[in-house]
Amino acid sequence: MLGDQRDPFGRADLPELPGGEAAAGYSSPIFTAVELAAELRKWLRESERRSGRGMSRRRLAGALNVSVRSMYAYLSGTTLIPYEVLDRLFPLLEIPSEQAKMLRRARDRVEDARRRPTEPVVQALPPVVQALPPSPTAFTGRAGPLAELRQLEAAQRTAGAAAVCVLAGMAGVGKTALALAWAREARARFPDGCLFVDLRGYDPDEPLDPHEALGVLLHSLGLADGELPPGVAARASRYRTLADGRRMLIVLDNAFSADQVRPLLPAAPSCFVVVTSRDDLAGLVARDGAHRIILPPLAWNEGLALLEALLGASRVRAEEQPARALVKVCAGLPLALRLAAELAAARPGEPLAAIVNEIQNQRLAMLAAAGDERADVRAVLSWSYVRLAADYPGAAQAFRALGGCPGQDFDVSSAAALLNTAPRDVIGLIDILLRGHLAERVPGRRFRMHDLVRAYAAELSAACDDDQSREAGLVRLAGYYVLSAEEAASHLVPQARKTTSDLDSSDAAAPIYLTQPPFADAGLARAWLDAERPNLVAVAVAAANRGLSGSASRLSAALDSYLDSAAHYHDALTVHNCATGIPDVTARHAAQVRLATACFRLGRLDEALVHARQALAGARSAGDLKTEVGARLRLGTLHACLGQLEAAREECEAALTLARQAADQLAEERILGNLAAVYAEQKHYRRALENGRRALALARELGDQVGEAHALCNVSRICQLAGRYQDAAAFGQKAQAAAAGIGDRSAEANATAALAASCMQLGRYSEARGHFLEAIARAKDIGDRSLEITVQSGLHEVTQRLPPSQGSTPIEGLNRHPG
């Protein structure tokens, strides 16, 4: 029987508590004298722990009436412990009777195994095989996957059944590094050795077929070339025979498919197998019971830890922000981070910020080590693409197209539009990319590519696909987003606009990819807009850059109310800017009004005035009544903000006349609300309330939930200024609830602020303080600095009115009264 290569004196890295499967009442996984000895050493340690003192091998030998040499042999496994010695050991170590019975049965099993005819074959093997290649230096992080591997191996020892673990993930994510790091940590628990085979599944060379791979394993187990059986089945049988009864770790690296791996799995319950692959190896999980661990890119803190290990903690901590940027530009991919660190190490005097900028500008070209294709992100990714293109040409074309797709993620519908494919057919293509870790799932039935994978796919698209096909894909994608955004907008503001397209997904003439999302209500429409917002902005920019002015203009119009009510003002600025350079004069002036609104929300009043005045002049010149109404409405708001109340009133009244002339009720509703606010500032409270209530009634009549929330907030503010604090609080609560119900962050922030002010005037100081704190948080969240300052002033005032026990707690930002 082979000797235990661990410390024979019992200092191996073993679990603290003994018993293993025996403690659980299952049959023991012990098959060798080495494993029996290891179990006895654990009980010895437990006895020492309970007694609080150590027990030397000499003392133990004396207590058992055996020689010290024999005691060492029994506890190392080089000699099988005799029954009579084992029986004397049980009471000495206070081993419970049930566990003692199981250990005796385990000793029986070892004795029986020694008498089998196959025993000479096992004893003829080399003592221990250690075939692990060197591990990468500076391995860091991966606490979760390491813990999962440890737990799986511990469970396998308890269950006494063979275990297979698949480490899956994208190229360069560190699957092999993790497997080797854990293997070196765990190898003391595999006394019969560790085997390693590179299956070359994703490699410039051809994959290793099972026949060759079995040859490598059998060589590692001591067979010469002349002793290798001829066929796969014969080799697999011999391999499993040699592995039987041995406690071994087997690492099958870089596997391509489940069929490549299956013949290499031992049947021995004492063996543990780790498989690494860029494929999920779903068949191995489903059919063979493998446990799969998906390895994601490194988290930012793990990435920083890796940079510290490679570059030194002092340099990374001295340039922490650029170091974080380096982790981000490498998107947490360990291979990319190692290459970036090598670049930084070769330039010790150069700031990390400069290296980050260089990588951002050249991306994949910078993440390569000259002359080593295995240290080149582009080359490593190419091996995945080559396999994909060979086996699934359609998925390869989808990979290229999706890489060049504007936006940060995609769903089945947007992918179908880009690929000119029916949604039901695109699901299979996406699934192939997911299995190969060329794309990943994200919440909400959505998918995305890793940043570096996307960059590589975009390079491929530029090299392999003609401009016409890529342009056609963008046209389809923009068309899908335009129709979907218009449908969503019609649920948020039913009277806002009607779609300019009479094409519908139910039309016989509609393209096969066209599927407008079914929005049952405004909540689902807003949820879709929330999920797609980054993509909608990216598509608007791409459409403007490619001369698709119609799509850019329609996206600007469709997204206007949503971006404004959800306080995505910077996105609104980007989207509306895309529509200000289009040839259509009417659409261009309308976009300028929307742009003026975005500038106003961001506090850029001078720019807002310029855009509003240009829109007004253009609309009047073109006889565009609708845009003139919008421009005057915005100018009225700007004048009021600048304290020019009379000018504000005149613009609002002129806009109201034009809106009624054009029978534009939605515009009339918004103007009445603004006019009410102006009257309130002028202390004409009766007229203010009349207009405010009319705006509220009209919003409800039109089904304009956004307008209703703002109208309620407006009436609350007017009541407060008029000294009607009970009414102000009541309307404030209604406004807060209405805004929360539709996700209008701007109205919710203003309603909370109005409610806080009303509660303060009513003497409900503690309640007011809570509302003020909430309003400050909401104002910060939407970036409304003006509202934030106003609310902080109110908070300071209410804090002064509260008893010391309730209002004396220091509040950040209130060290002094805001000026």
Side-chain angles (χ1 to χ4, degrees):
M1 181 57 61
L2 299 177
D4 188 351
Q5 299 303 300
R6 297 170 289 180
D7 179 359
F9 303 103
R11 300 186 182 90
D13 180 18
L14 295 170
E16 286 187 6
L17 292 176
E21 290 172 331
Y26 298 104
S27 96
S28 169
I30 296 170
F31 294 95
T32 67
V34 170
E35 292 175 340
L36 179 61
E39 191 73 12
L40 293 175
R41 291 201 304 275
K42 285 188 283 183
W43 282 107
L44 175 59
R45 286 188 173 195
E46 173 63 9
S47 176
E48 291 174 332
R49 186 188 67 77
R50 287 197 304 266
S51 66
R53 56 193 177 88
M55 182 180 292
S56 69
R57 300 300 188 267
R58 183 174 297 279
R59 184 178 163 207
L60 188 61
L64 294 173
N65 197 25
V66 298
S67 68
V68 175
R69 182 189 297 272
S70 296
M71 195 71 251
Y72 278 118
Y74 299 155
L75 291 180
S76 67
T78 55
T79 300
L80 180 62
I81 187 169
Y83 285 116
E84 61 273 16
V85 178
L86 187 63
D87 289 340
R88 292 198 297 271
L89 184 63
F90 292 153
L92 185 64
L93 299 184
E94 299 180 354
I95 298 176
S97 59
E98 189 63 29
Q99 279 74 19
K101 289 178 185 177
M102 292 182 180
L103 286 169
R104 208 173 196 287
R105 285 199 295 270
R107 201 265 181 218
D108 292 342
R109 240 187 340 271
V110 175
E111 182 73 31
D112 291 343
R114 288 188 161 194
R115 294 173 182 160
R116 291 175 190 165
T118 57
E119 185 65 14
V121 176
V122 175
Q123 291 189 359
L125 296 174
V128 169
V129 181
Q130 294 293 354
L132 296 177
S135 300
T137 57
F139 178 83
T140 59
R142 301 303 192 194
L146 282 170
E148 199 168 346
L149 278 163
R150 293 179 192 124
Q151 185 179 11
L152 188 63
E153 189 257 338
Q156 183 248 356
R157 288 176 63 84
T158 302
V164 180
C165 179
V166 174
L167 298 179
M170 64 175 291
V173 82
K175 302 177 293 293
T176 303
L178 173 64
L180 291 176
W182 179 77
R184 293 199 175 279
E185 168 198 304
R187 62 182 173 181
R189 298 191 292 277
F190 296 95
D192 294 320
C194 303
L195 308 183
F196 181 93
V197 183
D198 179 3
L199 297 177
R200 300 200 306 257
Y202 298 88
D203 195 86
D205 300 324
E206 284 297 311
L208 210 63
D209 64 37
H211 185 268
E212 294 173 287
L214 284 164
V216 173
L217 289 167
L218 290 170
H219 276 139
S220 296
L221 291 170
L223 268 65
D225 286 342
E227 299 175 292
L228 295 179
V232 171
R235 287 188 175 191
S237 176
R238 187 66 180 276
Y239 163 62
R240 287 168 182 150
T241 299
L242 294 178
D244 186 48
R246 296 165 65 84
R247 176 75 177 154
M248 291 193 302
L249 172 63
I250 301 158
V251 179
L252 305 175
D253 188 45
N254 197 10
F256 179 56
S257 67
D259 288 339
Q260 187 188 28
V261 171
R262 276 197 188 96
L264 315 182
L265 299 179
S270 52
C271 290
F272 191 96
V273 181
V274 176
V275 185
T276 74
S277 180
R278 299 184 193 183
D279 190 273
D280 275 350
L281 301 183
L284 212 61
V285 175
R287 239 185 81 184
D288 302 275
H291 177 88
R292 182 168 54 221
I293 299 175
I294 302 294
L295 210 57
L298 295 174
W300 71 265
N301 56 323
E302 292 178 316
L304 279 182
L306 179 57
L307 289 179
E308 286 187 4
L310 296 168
L311 293 175
S314 58
R315 184 175 181 185
V316 172
R317 290 173 187 173
E319 302 181 75
E320 184 171 347
Q321 289 308 314
R324 285 174 180 253
L326 192 58
V327 174
K328 184 177 181 180
V329 79
C330 292
L333 194 67
L335 175 60
L337 278 167
R338 287 179 177 275
L339 290 166
E342 189 282 327
L343 186 64
R347 306 177 187 179
E350 189 167 345
L352 290 181
I355 292 171
V356 170
N357 289 335
E358 197 170 347
I359 294 175
Q360 282 177 328
N361 292 333
Q362 302 185 50
R363 211 59 183 267
L364 296 178
M366 295 299 299
L367 298 175
D372 186 353
E373 62 181 345
R374 285 179 170 79
D376 180 330
V377 172
R378 183 187 284 116
V380 169
L381 291 172
S382 74
W383 303 334
S384 290
Y385 177 74
V386 167
R387 299 285 182 215
L388 181 73
D391 294 342
Y392 306 104
Q397 190 271 331
F399 174 69
R400 298 193 306 270
L402 290 166
C405 171
Q408 66 178 22
D409 59 15
F410 56 92
D411 64 4
V412 169
S413 297
S414 58
L418 185 73
L419 300 172
N420 197 20
T421 305
R424 63 179 178 275
D425 296 328
V426 86
I427 292 172
L429 299 176
I430 293 174
D431 188 57
I432 292 169
L433 300 182
L434 292 173
R435 292 204 314 264
H437 291 273
L438 292 169
E440 61 180 338
R441 294 183 190 275
V442 290
R445 297 183 179 180
R446 305 186 66 78
F447 313 93
R448 71 179 175 201
M449 289 181 171
H450 184 277
D451 287 353
L452 297 179
V453 173
R454 177 187 289 277
Y456 174 66
E459 282 188 358
L460 284 175
S461 181
C464 302
D465 303 320
D466 58 73
D467 291 343
Q468 185 176 359
S469 64
R470 286 188 288 137
E471 188 77 14
L474 178 60
V475 169
R476 290 191 300 270
L477 185 67
Y480 160 75
Y481 274 121
V482 164
L483 291 174
S484 300
E486 289 173 345
E487 173 69 13
S490 72
H491 285 270
L492 299 186
V493 187
Q495 303 299 317
R497 69 188 302 277
K498 302 294 183 183
T499 177
T500 59
S501 170
D502 40 4
L503 184 61
D504 179 290
S505 58
S506 62
D507 290 343
I512 58 171
Y513 63 80
L514 185 61
T515 55
Q516 287 178 288
F519 303 125
D521 53 38
L524 291 175
R526 188 175 289 275
W528 182 85
L529 289 165
D530 287 340
E532 292 283 6
R533 176 170 56 87
N535 301 325
L536 288 161
V537 175
V539 168
V541 172
N545 291 339
R546 301 282 185 87
L548 304 178
S549 57
S551 295
S553 174
R554 289 173 65 184
L555 282 172
S556 170
L559 297 175
D560 180 36
S561 179
Y562 162 71
L563 293 174
D564 188 55
S565 66
H568 299 305
Y569 305 136
H570 288 284
D571 285 345
L573 196 70
T574 300
V575 169
H576 302 325
N577 252 321
C578 291
T580 56
I582 61 179
D584 186 326
V585 174
T586 301
R588 184 168 70 243
H589 294 149
Q592 280 189 298
V593 174
R594 296 190 286 271
L595 189 57
T597 301
C599 290
F600 165 67
R601 301 295 189 206
L602 292 169
R604 295 156 62 167
L605 302 186
D606 290 341
E607 290 179 61
L609 280 167
V610 169
H611 290 301
R613 285 169 177 160
Q614 287 178 348
L616 178 59
R620 294 185 69 182
S621 175
D624 180 359
L625 196 60
K626 182 181 176 74
T627 301
E628 184 179 352
V629 169
R632 288 190 181 279
L633 171 61
R634 184 51 54 219
L635 281 170
T637 307
L638 289 165
H639 286 310
C641 188
L642 293 169
Q644 301 162 359
L645 297 179
E646 193 57 30
R649 183 186 61 79
E650 290 174 359
E651 288 291 359
C652 287
E653 289 178 343
L656 184 60
T657 300
L658 292 172
R660 287 171 174 166
Q661 181 182 333
D664 188 341
Q665 288 187 299
L666 184 66
E668 181 181 351
E669 172 218 313
R670 302 294 169 86
I671 296 164
L672 285 169
N674 281 16
L675 192 56
V678 172
Y679 283 143
E681 292 296 332
Q682 291 181 320
K683 297 184 172 45
H684 301 321
Y685 299 127
R686 184 181 59 80
R687 297 174 69 183
L689 278 172
E690 286 176 359
N691 282 276
R693 290 180 184 278
R694 286 163 62 193
L696 177 59
L698 193 52
R700 287 171 172 168
E701 180 184 331
L702 296 173
D704 180 9
Q705 293 179 307
V706 174
E708 180 180 356
H710 282 272
L712 285 166
C713 188
N714 208 10
V715 172
S716 174
R717 173 67 176 159
I718 294 168
C719 288
Q720 182 196 336
L721 291 173
R724 296 168 56 174
Y725 302 124
Q726 290 285 4
D727 289 338
F731 277 107
Q733 287 177 326
K734 290 178 181 178
Q736 195 178 43
I742 60 172
D744 190 324
R745 299 195 300 158
S746 174
E748 198 168 1
N750 282 281
T752 306
L755 181 58
S758 300
C759 289
M760 181 174 68
Q761 295 299 335
L762 290 168
R764 289 150 48 182
Y765 300 133
S766 181
E767 184 181 349
R769 184 176 186 272
H771 290 311
F772 275 128
L773 288 170
E774 182 184 349
I776 288 173
R778 292 188 182 282
K780 286 181 176 178
D781 184 45
I782 65 175
D784 192 332
R785 180 60 181 156
S786 176
L787 178 61
E788 183 185 346
I789 292 172
T790 301
V791 176
Q792 280 188 334
S793 177
L795 179 59
H796 181 86
E797 183 178 347
V798 80
T799 301
Q800 302 306 309
R801 298 186 187 186
L802 277 168
S805 60
Q806 297 180 45
S808 59
T809 305
I811 300 168
E812 184 181 355
L814 289 182
N815 295 328
R816 60 181 179 84
H817 195 285

